[in-house]
Amino acid sequence: MEDALTLDTLAKSAADMAMSIDTIWVLVTAALVFFMQAGFAFVEAGFTRAKNTVNILYKNLMDFAVGSIVFWAIGFSLMFGANTAGGFMGSPSLFNFDIWKGGIPEEAFLIFQTVFAATAATIVSGAMAERTEFKTYLVYSLIISLLIYPISGHWTWGGGWLASMETPFHDFAGSTVVHMVGGLIALTGAIALGPRIGKYSGKRANAIPGHNIPYGALGVFILWLGWFGFNPGSQLAASGSANATAISHIFVTTNLAGAAGAISALLISWIRFGKPSLSFALNGVLAGLVAITAGCDLVSDLGAIIIGTIAGVVLVYAVTFIDNVLHIDDPVGAVSVHGVCGALGTILVGFFAQGSGLFYGGGTAQLVSQLIGVGSTAIWALATGFVLFKVLKATIGLRVPKRIEEEGLDIYEHGESAYN
């Protein structure tokens, strides 16, 4: 009897230790993902003009503040509550976190998912920079974190219909769930707003240089660091050899894809424009990181390099196509980085996933599921984004007056300047 009690005690102690390790891991990686808000703020501020810096920093701050409250209040339940409407959304429940059960405390999982929701919302800011009413921004940031992101997120991560297919849709850390959704809502916002004054002269696109490339570079380094929380943290555990091996592999694939994206974007921009562009290389890093996020757990190291390389190449062409052909003004390239490369990376899982991917003898089942998941989520993001911005434009207004845009949002919207 004494031996049995000792074994039971040891087993409970080991289980408690594993839970503690897993909880600390998730909370630390959540903090890294939270710090990505600073990265987004620096990238956006650096790639735009000095007269709008306060406005941009303010928006990134309020994305997280507003998103934290509304996701805590109801967004979490819409994303992780019991299936309703055939797996379309979770059952709404105010202030209820007991709906999710796993190997860590509910509140640890809540804060990890909160920082992801804030990321989806803040992506939109970059494409709509330098011309958006601040009050309107607060409203649409709230709606993204409250409704749009949680509902489509439920389809994949909350046990919804995409997760219930015969071959489940795979998006490990959010190439589609987070990045593509944010990027495509950003696209609808940029279209609804129209371009900045002076951006286009007839069919010619005019460059509007950012005021501080060092800010942009620092922001990318911060985001690269944060991605080591974003992707490995999505394992939601670190205890035991299997989890240790998994998160180590995810660290490597994440890093390789970001590095490959930087190199390929640099080379393609050098070939196309005659000089190696730092801004393209910086966005190439982000393109590679976004693309690998869906399959970072399943692809090989070489597969990660190939995915990052493809993303870096596609980024350069996507940015120039959206700007020069479609004449959609996206000051930081958010639509290309997050929308295009998020979709691309998710689809490439169907080719490069070890075991289930087409290139590994897995047939087309995974690829078909990836296409269904990307297509349906894209339709949701585009449709809800267009409706949201059309309603806001018709009611409280979307764009600042011409004089404010020309002289800068900082003084007129906030009464203060970033540089004195």
Side-chain angles (χ1 to χ4, degrees), residues 5 58 71 78 161 197 214 220 242 246 249 262 288 298-299 316 329 345 377:
L5 288 173
Y58 215 152
F71 192 76
L78 290 174
W161 70 274
I197 295 170
V220 169
H249 178 68
L298 295 182
V299 305
V316 177
D329 185 12
T377 308

Side-chain angles (χ1 to χ4, degrees), residues 194-251:
R196 290 168 290 175
I197 295 170
K199 176 61 181 172
Y200 298 107
S201 302
K203 294 183 178 181
R204 183 167 63 89
N206 302 313
I208 302 179
H211 84 283
N212 197 319
I213 292 300
Y215 275 10
L218 175 60
V220 169
F221 279 116
I222 291 172
L223 289 169
W224 201 338
L225 171 66
W227 241 284
F228 293 133
F230 206 96
N231 289 358
S234 294
Q235 182 73 11
L236 297 179
S239 61
S241 60
N243 286 320
T245 299
I247 60 178
S248 299
H249 178 68
I250 295 167
F251 256 89

Side-chain angles (χ1 to χ4, degrees), residues 164-405:
S164 303
M165 294 191 300
E166 184 176 351
T167 301
F169 173 62
H170 185 85
D171 185 3
F172 182 73
S175 288
T176 286
V177 173
V178 178
H179 293 281
M180 189 193 75
V181 166
L184 294 184
I185 296 173
L187 174 64
T188 64
I191 292 171
L193 269 175
R196 290 168 290 175
I197 295 170
K199 176 61 181 172
Y200 298 107
S201 302
K203 294 183 178 181
R204 183 167 63 89
N206 302 313
I208 302 179
H211 84 283
N212 197 319
I213 292 300
Y215 275 10
L218 175 60
V220 169
F221 279 116
I222 291 172
L223 289 169
W224 201 338
L225 171 66
W227 241 284
F228 293 133
F230 206 96
N231 289 358
S234 294
Q235 182 73 11
L236 297 179
S239 61
S241 60
N243 286 320
T245 299
I247 60 178
S248 299
H249 178 68
I250 295 167
F251 256 89
V252 172
T253 56
T254 299
N255 188 60
L256 290 174
I263 294 169
S264 63
L266 180 151
L267 291 175
I268 294 299
S269 66
W270 200 342
I271 292 168
R272 290 194 69 191
F273 310 118
K275 294 184 182 297
S277 167
L278 176 59
S279 61
F280 272 119
L282 291 172
N283 266 337
V285 173
L286 301 182
L289 292 169
V290 167
I292 197 60
T293 295
C296 56
D297 60 325
L298 295 182
V299 305
S300 67
D301 294 356
L302 178 60
I305 292 173
I306 295 171
I307 289 171
T309 300
I310 294 171
V313 172
V314 168
L315 166 84
V316 177
Y317 287 97
V319 167
T320 53
F321 179 77
I322 289 170
D323 190 20
N324 298 329
V325 179
L326 299 182
H327 284 189
I328 297 171
D329 185 12
D330 178 3
V332 303
V335 176
S336 301
V337 169
H338 300 280
V340 175
C341 292
L344 173 68
T346 309
I347 292 168
L348 289 176
V349 173
F351 293 96
F352 289 98
Q354 298 180 95
S356 61
L358 184 62
F359 293 161
Y360 287 84
T364 60
Q366 189 67 63
L367 177 59
V368 170
S369 292
Q370 298 306 104
L371 290 169
I372 292 171
V374 168
S376 58
T377 308
I379 291 169
W380 169 257
L382 290 169
T384 54
F386 274 118
V387 171
L388 171 63
F389 291 119
K390 189 174 182 63
V391 170
L392 291 176
K393 190 174 183 178
T395 53
I396 61 176
L398 194 57
R399 185 167 183 148
V400 297
K402 180 181 178 182
R403 181 182 175 185
I404 295 177
E405 183 178 344

